[in-house]
């Protein structure tokens, strides 16, 4: 039997200056710091284009939302772009309710790497 609780996973894929950060599970108080650390490390390593792929993200709380904004600000300050890709319906509604869909660039385009 499979446990209903999603396992947190963060995978980073690099191609030249482009970085894709693929999240799986829940972005919450426990997992959010690892996302910020990963994005900051990639920006410091020279990433110019960051895609945070939410295709497999099942839940996001206020800590996760704040971290997405923090990642976006860090990218902007570093002269890089950051896009949030493929949020599921629940995550998209959360982004809309909080107004973050007006701040964060969001796309539903396939993320190739």
């Amino acid at each position: 039997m499979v446990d209903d609780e999603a396992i947190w996973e963060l995978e980073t894929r690099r191609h030249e200056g482009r970085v894709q950060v693929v999240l799986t599970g829940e972005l919450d108080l426990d997992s959010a710091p690892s996302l910020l650390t990963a994005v900051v490390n990639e920006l410091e390593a020279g990433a110019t284009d960051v895609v945070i792929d939410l295709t497999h993200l099942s839940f996001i709380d206020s800590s996760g939302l704040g971290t997405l904004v923090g990642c976006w600000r860090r990218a902007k300050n570093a002269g890089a772009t950051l896009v949030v890709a493929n949020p599921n319906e629940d995550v998209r509604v959360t982004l809309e309710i909080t107004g973050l869909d007006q701040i964060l660039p969001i796309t539903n385009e396939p993320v190739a790497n």
Side-chain angles (χ1 to χ4, degrees):
M1 186 162 163
V2 176
D3 188 354
D4 288 339
E5 185 176 326
I7 297 171
W8 168 251
E9 185 177 317
L10 183 151
E11 179 185 354
T12 304
R13 302 173 185 160
R14 294 173 201 87
H15 181 69
E16 298 175 2
R18 179 189 169 113
V19 175
Q20 179 183 5
V21 181
V22 181
L23 306 181
T24 301
E26 299 181 355
L27 184 57
D28 57 17
L29 182 62
D30 291 331
S31 58
S34 61
L35 172 59
L36 183 61
T37 299
V39 170
V40 167
N41 288 343
E42 294 299 333
L43 292 169
E44 289 175 351
T48 57
D49 185 21
V50 178
V51 177
I52 300 178
D53 187 347
L54 306 182
T55 301
H56 305 290
L57 192 72
S58 59
F59 172 80
I60 189 167
D61 72 1
S62 60
S63 299
L65 294 170
T67 299
L68 287 178
V69 172
C71 290
W72 173 75
R73 285 187 179 147
R74 297 275 181 118
K76 185 176 176 182
N77 289 340
T81 61
L82 183 139
V83 175
V84 175
N86 306 313
N88 68 30
E89 187 63 27
D90 291 339
V91 173
R92 180 174 286 284
V93 167
T94 302
L95 292 168
E96 290 171 357
I97 288 171
T98 59
L100 292 180
D101 64 322
Q102 301 299 309
I103 298 169
L104 298 171
I106 301 171
T107 183
N108 282 323
E109 298 299 317
V111 179
N113 195 20

